Structure formats: C-alpha cells, structure tokens
Amino acid sequence: DYNSPDEALCHALLDRAVENGVNLVDTAEQYPIPSQFPQNPEGLTEEIIGRWIAKRRGNRERLVIASKITGGRNVNRRNIIADCEGSLRRLGTDRLDVYLLHWPARYTPQSNWGQSLEYDWEYGTRAVPRAASFDEIVD
C-alpha cells in the first residue's frame, strides 16, 4: 500500500530506481495521500526520501528533486516560503531543483485535467475568491 509508506520498501525502490538510471524524485509536502495522523502524517514521504538521501552519500548530487506546495487558498508568498522551507527540512537538503504548485485551483471543476479551452475562469474566481495571483506572489 503506497499510501501507507513502508520505509524499508521505499528505500529499496529508490535504490533500484537510481541503479537503473532514474534521476528524478518527485514528491509533495502533502504525501502520503490520504494522510492519516499520527501514523502517516502529511510530509512523511519527504521525510522517508530525506532519510534515504542521508544514508546514501553522493545520491543528492545525482538527483533532480521536485516537490510541490498544495494549491488552494493557502497559496501566498508567506506560505510558499514556509512550505518550501518545510520540504527542504524534511528532505534534508539545501535546495529543490523543481518546486511546483500542486492543484493550483483545487476546488474548481476539472481545473487540472487539461480542459483549458473549456475552463470557466469567472467560475474559478468565484470558487476561490481569496486566491492570490502570480503577480501578488512574486512581488
């Protein structure tokens, strides 16, 4: 059950992947999904990956690590910084190679399934009224 990570199995799978040429590790602050506190809290997957990196010196330099902030109303400058720093801490690294917004308009219908030509932007504005624009985040 990959939603209830077994650390030894995860480490073995990561070892096998790297031995066979995989160099991208993709995770997110909210994994595992569904999370269950206290045994499988959000962030556990990043912690497992972080312990794997720490045990295998040299792996970090060979990897591209991607993580994500959970989308929705919490996406603002302060939370992006705090959530990114949390991911860095859990992963035990000083940098992420890719940092993404996971489900940017989480509560709008089908916003992340490729129906961009049919997406109702006006509905999205009403459904997530306090969402920050990219301009607000980067200023």
Side-chain angles (χ1 to χ4, degrees):
D1 180 4
Y2 294 100
N3 292 327
S4 306
D6 172 275
E7 188 156 343
L9 176 59
C10 290
H11 287 194
L13 291 170
L14 286 163
D15 286 338
R16 178 174 275 185
V18 169
E19 289 165 6
N20 285 282
V22 173
N23 71 340
L24 173 65
V25 176
D26 177 59
T27 188
E29 64 165 349
Q30 72 186 90
Y31 294 166
I33 298 293
S35 56
Q36 299 170 349
F37 193 79
Q39 68 270 26
N40 294 318
E42 289 186 0
L44 178 62
T45 300
E46 288 181 333
E47 291 174 6
I48 289 170
I49 294 167
R51 288 190 286 271
W52 172 76
I53 291 169
K55 288 180 181 178
R56 285 138 181 96
R57 296 286 173 207
N59 264 0
R60 177 60 186 102
E61 298 311 314
R62 299 185 317 173
L63 297 173
V64 174
I65 298 180
S67 193
K68 304 168 210 70
I69 183 174
T70 304
R73 294 182 177 150
N74 68 311
V75 178
N76 58 50
R77 184 182 322 170
R78 181 178 49 110
N79 287 347
I80 289 172
I81 292 168
D83 290 3
C84 183
E85 289 174 349
S87 289
L88 291 170
R89 185 182 65 256
R90 288 184 294 273
L91 289 162
T93 188
D94 62 347
R95 70 192 182 284
L96 291 171
D97 301 297
V98 181
Y99 194 57
L100 301 165
L101 177 58
H102 202 231
W103 288 16
R106 183 174 200 140
Y107 301 105
T108 56
Q110 301 179 353
S111 63
N112 63 335
W113 291 99
Q115 291 87 358
S116 59
L117 296 176
E118 297 180 26
Y119 179 71
D120 181 352
W121 289 100
E122 182 62 31
Y123 176 78
T125 302
R126 290 190 314 272
V128 190
R130 291 177 286 183
S133 70
F134 285 112
D135 291 335
E136 292 171 310
I137 292 168
V138 297
D139 281 339

